[in-house]
Amino acid sequence: MSYAAQPPPAAEPPATPRPAAVTLAVALLWAMAVAGLIYAIGMVAVTPGVVGRFRDAAGSETAENFISVVWLISALALVLAFLVAALFAVLGLALRRGSRLARAVTLGVCGLGILGGCGTLAVLAAERSGEAVPGSVGEALSEAYPEGWIVLNIAVAVAQVIGYLVVGVLLLTAPGEFFGRTAPAGTALPGFVPPGQFVAPSTGWAAPQSKPFVTGGSEPDQFSDQPSPPKSEPKPEDEYWSRP
């Protein structure tokens, strides 16, 4: 019994080299994570001095509510910075391996980061546009922060918007083959037999019987033509019995 001709196993396509755009995007993503973590740690570090100066300047029980908000913002910023750093580390490793899911998640994070940075700039611009009332709690809180703190926040927000924008552009312009892992055109899939190369298995019944079928050594062939026996010569007794 014959079997279908099996083609040799197709070699797997060579791995697509990592594009430079992906490498640069991952490096920038990790740098942003480290910068955000440093900024959050610095915010927590300056909070005790801010709270002390604000309490001395305000000198009222109302200031305690603002102090609680300041500590809460600092703690949330630090926790968020650690979570973002861990997320960016995982996304960076997945992007380097060419994960499409990591690419989609990173693009979503970039969109949220751009919106957040623009919102921060809008809030800071609104604060800088108005003049604080002398002797108010707002003025005392602004004066409690180190000199140049507002300018630093503006610079961080601008850098955040630019960084997320650059990462998004780099990932969008990166070759899709690196993330899709699609086989090049003309590459046969493993185990696939093209229609032109398929050979039907032979069962032994497709071809007609070309040789006489013999059941045994002493038995006559039941399918081949048997020769007719020769006619015997008439005998005298046959002629006698044939007379009327």
Side-chain angles (χ1 to χ4, degrees), residues 17-33 88 91-93 95-97 106 110 162-175 178-179:
R18 185 183 302 117
V22 176
T23 303
L24 182 58
V26 172
L28 183 57
L29 202 65
W30 287 348
M32 292 172 59
F88 283 7
L91 289 178
L93 293 176
L95 288 173
R96 289 172 61 87
R97 293 196 300 266
T106 305
C110 289
I162 295 176
Y164 281 121
L165 184 61
V166 172
V167 171
V169 171
L170 289 174
L171 292 180
L172 288 175
T173 57
F178 177 72
F179 293 100

Side-chain angles (χ1 to χ4, degrees), residues 138-174:
E139 183 187 18
L141 182 60
S142 300
E143 294 294 333
Y145 278 96
E147 185 178 358
W149 182 258
I150 301 297
V151 178
L152 176 62
N153 286 315
I154 295 176
V156 170
V158 172
Q160 175 183 345
V161 173
I162 295 176
Y164 281 121
L165 184 61
V166 172
V167 171
V169 171
L170 289 174
L171 292 180
L172 288 175
T173 57

Side-chain angles (χ1 to χ4, degrees), residues 46-47 49-58 70 127-128 130-150:
V46 301
T47 298
V50 172
V51 169
R53 289 188 293 269
F54 176 65
R55 184 180 284 113
D56 295 338
V70 170
E127 291 179 355
R128 298 291 292 179
E131 294 183 359
V133 179
S136 63
V137 177
E139 183 187 18
L141 182 60
S142 300
E143 294 294 333
Y145 278 96
E147 185 178 358
W149 182 258
I150 301 297

Side-chain angles (χ1 to χ4, degrees), residues 32-47 68-86 120 145 149 153 156 160 164:
M32 292 172 59
V34 174
L37 190 58
I38 293 175
Y39 175 78
I41 294 175
M43 179 182 293
V44 174
V46 301
T47 298
S68 300
V69 173
V70 170
W71 277 113
L72 181 61
I73 292 176
S74 300
L76 290 178
L78 183 60
V79 173
L80 183 61
F82 274 108
L83 294 177
V84 170
T120 302
Y145 278 96
W149 182 258
N153 286 315
V156 170
Q160 175 183 345
Y164 281 121

Side-chain angles (χ1 to χ4, degrees), residues 129 157 183 233:
S129 61
E233 297 295 334

